[in-house]
Amino acid sequence: VTVTNLGAVALDGFLLSSTISGPLPVHSAAISSGNCAVAAGVVTCSGPGLALYQGVVLTVELSAEIAGDFTNTVEFVPVLA
């Protein structure tokens, strides 16, 4: 997942969550700037400010135990001082 700040102002921080449907164990999660935690299949990350046009990349490693369609729901919350 890639998020880029295309807004009108720099951000003081951000929160990013990723929820993947189905029986998909999350093995690891990492973000290019900030920290992530995994609990009950939900990846939650937070990070420092993002300048205009600066972005972050979230990488999640998981494994599918069965074949099928799965959905990844991502929420990004900007933090302004």
Side-chain angles (χ1 to χ4, degrees):
V1 174
T2 301
V3 176
T4 303
N5 179 9
L6 299 177
V9 297
L11 303 179
D12 296 311
F14 65 88
L15 303 173
L16 178 66
S17 66
S18 174
T19 305
I20 302 168
S21 69
L24 296 168
V26 176
H27 298 291
S28 66
I31 196 158
S32 57
S33 179
N35 298 298
C36 293
V38 179
V42 177
V43 176
T44 305
C45 304
S46 61
L50 285 178
L52 292 176
Y53 306 106
Q54 181 183 10
V56 293
V57 177
L58 169 63
T59 303
V60 179
E61 181 182 327
L62 45 86
S63 59
E65 297 176 351
I66 60 172
D69 294 327
F70 304 100
T71 302
N72 182 17
T73 303
V74 176
E75 180 180 10
F76 180 83
V77 178
V79 176
L80 301 171

